[in-house]
Every structure is written in C-alpha cells, then in structure tokens.
Amino acid sequence: MVIIGAGFTGVSAALDLATAGLKVVILEANEVGAGASGRNGGLACSGWRHDQKWLEARMGREDARRLWLLAEDAKSDLLSRMQDFHIDADWTPGQIFAAHTPRLMQDLDEDADFMARAYGHERPKRLDREEITQALGTSAYHGGWRDPSAGHIHPLKLLYGLMQAALNAKANLHEYSRVTEVGSDRGKHFAKTRTGRVLADHILLCGDGYLDGIEPDVEARVLPIGSFVLATEPLPKDSAILPEHDSVMDTRFVVNYWRKTADRRLIFGGGEKYTPNWPIDVESFVRRNLVKIYPELRSIQVTHAWGGALGITPTRLPYLHQVRPGLLSASGYSGQGVVLAPYFGRILAACVLSQHRDYDVLARMPVPHFPGGRALRWPLLTAAMSWYALRDKLP
Ligand SMILES: Cc1cc2nc3c(=O)[nH]c(=O)nc-3n(C[C@H](O)[C@H](O)[C@H](O)COP(=O)(O)OP(=O)(O)OC[C@H]3O[C@@H](n4cnc5c(N)ncnc54)[C@H](O)[C@@H]3O)c2cc1C
C-alpha cells in the first residue's frame, strides 16, 4: 500500500489503513506538513464551498442532502479523532462569516432562512452591524453569521498528531522521497522515486496542489493556487480584536480569513496568486489586506509570513476519483481542506478496505476539466479569477 503525500489526506488514510493491519508506505517529497496542511490558516469550516441551494440545483435534492450530512460528519469526525488519539491541536469553536456588502448580508440571511426551513439547521447566530463590529473589533463589515459548530485549530499540531498515531500503528514514512512516476507492471502498481520503485496493490494520490506531472486526469481538474498568510507579534490581552477568539472568513471572492492563536498572535490570510509567480515580499502583500480591516495594525510587528499552494477545482468541489482500479485520488478541497482532507483520507482508506458507502455521491460531484488543456489553463484561470477578484472591489 503506497500513499503519495504526507498532508492531511495522506496521513489520515495511512492511519486508518495501518490500524487495519495493512503494510503502509508513505512517500513524501519533502517533510511531513511541507504542503498546505502545515501552512494553512487553521479554519475548520462547515459545509462545502457552495451553498446547499447550488448543490441541489446541480445534483438534485437527495445527493445535496447526503453531501450536507457528510460535511457535518466530517467536522464531528475530526473532533472525535482528536479526542481518540489525544491530539491537542488548540481546537477553538466559533466561526464568523462576515458580509462585506449589504447585498451579501442579504444573501447570507436568505441562505440561513433556507437552511433553517429545508434542513432544520438553526445553529448559526445572526450578527447585525453593531454586533459584528463588537465581535471582530472592526467596523469594516455589514453583518454576518456566527457558526458555533465550526472553529479553528493549529493545523501542524493536528497533522503531527495524526502522523504520530499512524507511526504508532506501524505506518512507514519516507520523507524526501519524491515520486516521479506511477504506473503498472505485471498486475501491480508501482511508484518510482529517484532511488527505486515501490510495488503495491494500491496507490493513493494525496499530493493536492503539489502533485505535479504524476497523473494528467487529476491535474486537468485540480490546479494549484497560492494563498498567503502572516502572523503578528502577540496582541495585548485587552485587545478589542476577536474578544471571543472566533475565527473569521469574509464574503470576498479573494477571501480574507483570520483568527487568534493560543498565544494571542493574529494569523491573517489574505491575497491569492493564480500563476506560479508568487510575491517576493509576502508580508507586504498580505499586510495591505490586513490594514483595510484593522488600520490600527498598520505598524504591528509581523513575525512570520508565508505562502502555500492549495488545489482548487473549476466547481470548488473536491475531486474524489478512481483513476484505475487500485489507483485512487482525493484532492481539490478549494480552501476547505482542514475538515475535508482528513475525512477524504478516511474515505480513500475505506475504499481500499472495501467500497465506501458514500463513494458514489462524492464521486458524482461535478468536477469538470479546467478549460484550455495543459497549455492554456493557466492564462484562462488567471483571467477568470482576476475578473472575480475585481468584483470584490465593487459595492
Ligand atoms: C496558505 C493556505 C491557507 C489555507 N487556509 C485554510 C483554512 O484556513 N481552512 C481550510 O479548511 N483550508 C485551508 N487551506 C487548504 C488546506 O490547507 C488544504 O486543502 C489541505 O491541507 C490539503 O491537504 P492535502 O493533504 O490534500 O495536501 P497537502 O497538505 O498539500 O499535502 C500534499 C503533500 O504531498 C506531497 N507531494 C506532492 N507530490 C508528491 C510526489 N510526487 N511525491 C511525493 N510527495 C508528493 C507534498 O510535498 C505535500 O506534503 C489553506 C491552504 C493554504 C496553502
């Protein structure tokens, strides 16, 4: 059993497969957590990147409902796994979705009404303009919704915890072992690295935005985009910013997301790149978005700034796929991988052990190719994303 990639997807699959007694080999091009799982903002979100109305329109009521329940299950599964394996990843409940225009506040209200009516989902709490100003410590937003079932974690602590549990279950980890080719030979799959080939009955592709040149079918649907984050020096104890330690994401297409760490640093993500040319000065790139929301942080000391690649799909839905019998892939969580990637890792593992009962609905999610083929998909993606990013600036 070979797993390519030691992020949430791969490590989570490894844990279940090693626990079930399979011989598991993880091949990681770099170090555990070198990909998005060790670099992300730590927001553990509810649902999918599209609301339920969108899913119902594309997939029908029944599939959309099953997907909603799966996303809910993914959240609670993450919490119970942290408990089962004694992983202290600074889990903090509470996530605010903040509307940056009155029209988007109206959309959020309509969506909440629909969810209460059609799904019996009443957990989020509405925040009016005054309440959101108080909750965020900024008057930059028109209102929002607070979801107590979502929240935030320290992503690397979560990943290391899952990795340790997988090692305890006798999974084998090989860092600095980039796979350059997967293929089949005499009824077995193989993964080729610089030093040799590993033969296996099953191979799981868990490279998400870092998988490059391995499997054209996946790479036609999952493209890496760059997302960028900074961490400030610890804020004062009496800071008005996030007094309840919520995590926040806003309604912009190029989303801003932020939270406070256990030691009161502000982790702020804002700004994306749709080409492989990343900013040289990440701190300034992100800070200019930070100060639009918190002008008083104009000269706060930034202690760390970094970027990472995450896989997105044309529909922003994950791509779960059996490429060939025995060769499976899950990726393209489009910014919601903290909850979804460990869960999809479990689904991959279940598919290896026996067919997973929800594989059918998850594999039915519409994930087409990016237009333009390998040559033109970058320019077309850049043009489309830049257009949507421009719309963030309109009232
Ligand atoms: C800056 C940033 C902020 C984010 N913020 C959030 C957030 O707040 N909330 C949220 O839900 N999601 C967020 N995400 C997305 C989330 O982190 C990802 O969806 C998730 O981590 C994907 O996990 P993964 O295991 O599939 O991939 P990754 O964690 O990217 O792991 C893939 C691994 O595969 C390895 N690999 C790739 N190719 C090969 C190969 N050929 N051979 C061997 N190894 C290989 C890579 O080295 C890497 O370690 C963010 C992402 C980024 C980059």
Side-chain angles (χ1 to χ4, degrees):
M1 174 77 244
V2 167
I3 295 174
I4 301 176
F8 290 144
T9 309
V11 170
S12 166
L15 171 54
D16 279 2
L17 290 166
T19 305
L22 269 66
K23 183 160 191 282
V24 175
V25 172
I26 308 174
L27 299 174
E28 164 54 49
N30 205 296
E31 290 176 11
V32 174
S37 301
R39 297 167 177 269
N40 65 73
L43 270 69
C45 309
S46 297
W48 306 89
R49 277 300 293 272
H50 285 290
D51 59 36
Q52 287 304 117
K53 266 194 208 157
W54 189 98
L55 287 170
E56 286 192 5
R58 262 96 188 155
M59 297 185 66
R61 220 150 188 232
E62 201 194 322
D63 277 3
R65 276 168 187 275
R66 279 178 72 191
L67 288 176
W68 170 254
L69 293 176
L70 283 167
E72 285 290 279
D73 190 46
K75 249 180 334 188
S76 45
D77 187 69
L78 186 65
L79 296 185
S80 46
R81 247 174 150 197
M82 289 198 285
Q83 209 165 19
D84 292 347
F85 292 103
H86 309 288
I87 302 170
D88 180 3
D90 302 342
W91 161 249
T92 312
Q95 192 168 101
I96 293 173
F97 204 24
H100 75 287
T101 67
R103 187 181 59 76
L104 284 161
M105 185 60 204
Q106 207 180 322
D107 286 356
L108 292 186
D109 287 344
E110 283 168 14
D111 187 44
D113 282 349
F114 173 76
M115 289 306 289
R117 220 176 39 247
Y119 285 74
H121 181 65
E122 296 206 45
R123 277 179 296 179
K125 176 185 179 319
R126 188 180 195 279
L127 303 173
D128 63 20
R129 186 154 199 164
E130 205 177 304
E131 288 166 326
I132 203 160
T133 301
Q134 185 74 29
L136 305 187
T138 170
S139 56
Y141 291 93
H142 293 262
W145 286 81
R146 181 178 189 276
D147 180 356
S149 72
H152 58 100
I153 52 137
H154 186 308
L156 204 50
K157 285 188 183 176
L158 170 64
L159 182 65
Y160 284 169
L162 292 171
M163 188 69 247
Q164 189 55 54
L167 292 174
N168 293 347
K170 306 258 179 305
N172 300 283
L173 169 67
H174 297 271
E175 295 179 308
Y176 299 103
S177 302
R178 173 175 295 282
V179 174
T180 52
E181 186 188 342
V182 293
S184 314
D185 191 4
R186 278 165 281 167
K188 285 259 185 196
H189 292 289
F190 68 80
K192 191 171 166 193
T193 68
R194 199 170 41 85
T195 51
R197 295 199 318 177
V198 188
L199 293 175
D201 291 330
H202 289 89
I203 295 185
L204 303 182
L205 302 175
C206 305
D208 195 41
Y210 290 84
L211 196 69
D212 186 21
I214 296 290
E215 178 42 55
D217 175 74
V218 175
E219 290 164 46
R221 291 173 167 83
V222 181
L223 263 182
I225 65 165
S227 182
F228 302 91
V229 186
L230 60 72
T232 68
E233 63 184 318
L235 299 177
K237 272 206 178 93
D238 59 352
S239 165
I241 296 174
L242 303 180
E244 302 300 326
H245 293 263
D246 289 299
S247 51
V248 191
M249 63 197 290
D250 69 16
T251 44
R252 287 186 169 82
F253 178 77
V254 181
V255 60
N256 294 303
Y257 49 95
W258 64 101
R259 66 181 172 96
K260 272 197 301 205
T261 59
D263 63 350
R264 300 195 316 277
R265 292 167 195 278
L266 193 68
I267 299 272
F268 184 92
E272 292 174 348
K273 280 284 173 191
Y274 312 121
T275 67
N277 304 321
W278 283 10
I280 294 166
D281 181 357
V282 172
E283 180 186 326
S284 312
F285 182 73
V286 182
R287 191 192 281 264
R288 73 173 185 233
N289 293 313
L290 171 70
V291 298
K292 283 181 199 153
I293 299 167
Y294 296 111
E296 69 274 26
L297 299 185
R298 186 169 301 280
S299 47
I300 187 144
Q301 200 197 330
V302 167
T303 54
H304 305 79
W306 67 94
L310 62 107
I312 62 160
T313 65
T315 47
R316 307 293 179 271
L317 294 170
Y319 185 48
L320 173 69
H321 185 56
Q322 176 173 280
V323 183
R324 294 187 285 282
L327 180 62
L328 290 141
S329 157
S331 53
Y333 311 105
S334 304
Q336 298 219 165
V338 167
V339 171
L340 295 178
Y343 196 66
F344 274 68
R346 301 202 80 176
I347 287 164
L348 287 178
C351 288
V352 169
L353 296 169
S354 66
Q355 189 65 19
H356 188 272
R357 75 191 145 82
D358 293 307
Y359 177 86
D360 62 331
V361 65
L362 292 167
R364 269 204 297 279
M365 286 193 283
V367 182
H369 283 206
F370 276 100
R374 278 194 79 80
L376 281 177
R377 58 195 189 141
W378 280 111
L380 288 175
L381 174 80
T382 307
M385 300 292 254
S386 305
W387 159 244
Y388 284 116
L390 186 67
R391 293 207 316 188
D392 280 346
K393 303 195 168 72
L394 305 174

